[in-house]
Amino acid sequence: HDSISFLAAETRFAKGQCEEAIKKFDDYLSKFPTGYFLLQAHFYRSECLFKLKNYKESVKGYEYVADAGMNIF
């Protein structure tokens, strides 16, 4: 289920464990390319990348969210 996979990543994100969160979000995005939590996964992944000063890679996720149109972010 994509919700279980996403929740594992989101939990790491909420705890500030960005390295682990990025891995989990990567897993989620590869396993569920049309998953329910795509926007959140891209956004939270980018937030972690930005926090780790990987600005170039973080922009990709932010652009994905922005290109999705009106959304919670």
Side-chain angles (χ1 to χ4, degrees):
H1 292 18
D2 72 323
S3 59
I4 294 170
S5 181
F6 175 77
L7 185 59
E10 186 182 41
T11 300
R12 304 285 186 314
F13 172 78
K15 291 181 177 182
Q17 299 169 346
C18 278
E19 291 88 355
E20 281 298 311
I22 290 167
K23 291 176 192 173
K24 296 286 184 185
F25 286 126
D26 286 343
D27 287 346
Y28 174 81
L29 293 168
S30 67
K31 289 179 185 173
F32 304 101
T34 59
Y36 184 79
F37 301 101
L38 284 181
L39 287 177
Q40 293 95 323
H42 280 284
F43 184 80
Y44 296 150
R45 181 179 180 277
S46 288
E47 289 285 276
C48 274
L49 288 165
F50 189 88
K51 181 179 176 183
L52 297 173
K53 297 182 177 19
N54 188 343
Y55 306 119
K56 186 176 180 181
E57 189 67 24
S58 72
V59 168
K60 295 175 187 176
Y62 291 135
E63 286 176 343
Y64 179 91
V65 173
D67 289 345
M70 291 295 292
N71 60 66
I72 62 172
F73 300 107

